[in-house]
Amino acid sequence: MQSFTPEQARTFLAAVEQHRLKALYWTALLLGARRGELLGLRVSDLDLESKTMRITGAAQQQKGKGMVRVPTKTTASEAPIPIPDVLIPVLREHLAMLEEERTFSKWKEQGVLFP
C-alpha cells in the first residue's frame, strides 16, 4: 500500500471538491477507514459535538444477498475515533445535503452516512 504525499492529498481533495460524496473521500483520506467500513457508516455513528465517530459495522457484498451490513469483528473495533477539526465542516455540509435529499420522492432511507 502506498500513501499520498501531502501534495497529492491536496490535489485529490481539490479534485473531489464538487463531488456529491466529497465527505466520503475526505473521511477515507483523513481517517484511513476501509471501503466497507466507510460504506457501512451510519449517521448515528457520528457525534460531531464530541468530534468522534464509531465504526459499528461494514458494508459487504454477499453472494445471493447483495450488499449487506455486517457487524465489526470485535467490540474494540467500535472504539470512538477522533474526527479532525478540518473534517467537521465537511461532514456538516454532507449531513445538510442528506437532509435535502430526504425530501426527494425516490429517497429510500437506510440510515447510512454515504448512500
Side-chain angles (χ1 to χ4, degrees), residues 92-103:
R92 286 191 193 284
E93 178 184 332
H94 181 73
L95 291 171
M97 181 195 68
L98 286 180
E99 281 300 313
E100 181 180 339
E101 290 180 352
R102 283 186 179 100
T103 67

Side-chain angles (χ1 to χ4, degrees), residues 22-39:
K22 165 183 142 178
L24 169 77
Y25 297 119
W26 276 71
T27 304
L29 185 67
L30 294 174
L31 299 183
R34 297 177 188 95
R35 178 176 56 182
E37 294 170 337
L38 290 164
L39 297 178

Side-chain angles (χ1 to χ4, degrees), residues 27-69:
T27 304
L29 185 67
L30 294 174
L31 299 183
R34 297 177 188 95
R35 178 176 56 182
E37 294 170 337
L38 290 164
L39 297 178
L41 279 172
R42 293 181 173 161
V43 173
S44 60
D45 292 333
L46 280 183
D47 184 345
L48 295 182
E49 298 309 312
S50 70
K51 299 180 182 178
T52 60
M53 80 169 42
R54 293 178 184 272
I55 296 175
T56 61
Q60 186 180 81
Q61 185 72 30
Q62 292 184 354
K63 190 174 182 175
K65 294 182 181 180
M67 190 67 72
V68 298
R69 190 169 190 279

Side-chain angles (χ1 to χ4, degrees), residues 3-40:
S3 300
F4 283 164
T5 65
E7 183 58 35
Q8 289 171 325
R10 282 189 288 278
T11 300
F12 177 75
L13 293 177
V16 300
E17 181 60 32
Q18 298 303 314
H19 196 281
R20 179 187 170 278
L21 291 175
K22 165 183 142 178
L24 169 77
Y25 297 119
W26 276 71
T27 304
L29 185 67
L30 294 174
L31 299 183
R34 297 177 188 95
R35 178 176 56 182
E37 294 170 337
L38 290 164
L39 297 178

